[in-house]
Amino acid sequence: ALPGTQWVPAEPALALLPMAQRPELQFVSPTQVVGNSGCNRFAGALHLGGGGLQMGPLAGTRRACADELMALENRVLRALDATRSARLEPGQLVLLDARGGELMRWVQQR
């Protein structure tokens, strides 16, 4: 159900960022993910199957931004890199680490 969907962080403070700075995650196909990590754009492989979900390696642009946006970007990219599975809830995608711990929640864009 993920290919063809687009997501933004569920945290209200992040939803208030200008569109160009708002993190975004888009599942382009069963094998590709693209998005915005807050400062830079990224793209990479998507591995779905057996109840698992992994993204990467991710390649991104290399713009420098304000410290707070770089901190947000690092947080987003760490969460994507650590993702090993996910849980779909009504309107939300919950990224989970290898132990099933919650990394980050995303809200589906319509």
Side-chain angles (χ1 to χ4, degrees), residues 21-72:
Q21 298 171 343
R22 191 175 307 158
E24 174 187 281
L25 182 60
Q26 183 177 1
F27 296 95
V28 178
S29 73
T31 60
Q32 185 182 21
V33 63
V34 299
N36 180 353
S37 51
C39 178
N40 289 286
R41 303 279 310 156
F42 65 84
L46 173 65
H47 308 280
L48 294 171
L53 182 152
Q54 281 187 269
M55 292 170 266
L58 298 176
T61 57
R62 294 182 177 260
R63 287 183 34 210
C65 292
D67 289 345
E68 58 273 1
L69 277 180
M70 294 307 292
L72 170 61

Side-chain angles (χ1 to χ4, degrees), residues 77-95:
L77 292 175
R78 279 194 312 270
L80 298 181
D81 185 55
T83 298
R84 295 298 176 264
S85 65
R87 181 175 65 239
L88 282 172
E89 296 180 356
Q92 291 196 354
L93 172 67
V94 183
L95 301 182

